[in-house]
Amino acid sequence: MPRDSDAWPDEPDESDPEDRWGDPENDLVNVPSVGGEGDEDDDGDEQPVEIDSELASTFWAVVVLVNVGVAGVSLGAMFAYFRGNFLLGGGAAVVGVLALVRAYYSYRGYKAGDAADADETDSDG
């Protein structure tokens, strides 16, 4: 009885589809880091960048508000259109629009305060 490997001796070898890409770990371009010369420790680890706490809190508040806004508007429209539930859909859409408006005013408030701080530091110097 023939073995499984001898069943088709004339069949060509299977091609490996990944051969067309080569070796990406060695072929890719070496991208330099963005930081300056003082950004790395002796171990080669980058030092963390200090971020203003007001900027960080405003950023995350805007991120959450935009996510709530987009979800509310889209789910509200889908509930109203597909289910015919205008009360739930309208409520979700209103909450979404209010969250987007609040995110816009949070962003504008931070930007206006940042511009006022920049003008204040320019007039001091």
Side-chain angles (χ1 to χ4, degrees):
M1 178 165 180
R3 295 186 311 220
D4 288 336
S5 63
D6 294 339
W8 300 98
D10 296 333
E11 185 173 334
D13 293 335
E14 291 185 24
S15 64
D16 187 11
E18 293 182 3
D19 284 342
R20 63 181 167 198
W21 292 306
D23 187 13
E25 292 181 4
N26 294 326
D27 295 342
L28 292 178
V29 177
N30 188 6
V31 179
S33 65
V34 177
E37 289 189 20
D39 290 346
E40 293 187 5
D41 291 338
D42 293 337
D43 299 334
D45 296 333
E46 293 184 15
Q47 296 177 354
V49 177
E50 295 295 324
I51 298 175
D52 183 26
S53 64
E54 183 183 2
L55 173 64
S57 63
T58 303
F59 171 77
W60 286 112
V62 169
V63 166
V64 168
L65 286 170
V66 168
N67 284 334
V68 168
V70 169
V73 169
S74 61
L75 287 175
M78 285 191 285
F79 272 119
Y81 184 77
F82 293 119
R83 296 279 181 154
N85 192 344
F86 293 103
L87 183 63
L88 180 63
V94 167
V95 168
V97 168
L98 290 176
L100 289 172
V101 168
R102 177 68 179 129
Y104 174 75
Y105 282 115
S106 295
Y107 170 73
R108 294 288 295 188
Y110 179 80
K111 193 172 179 182
D114 193 34
D117 290 344
D119 290 342
E120 185 176 299
T121 57
D122 289 343
S123 64
D124 289 345

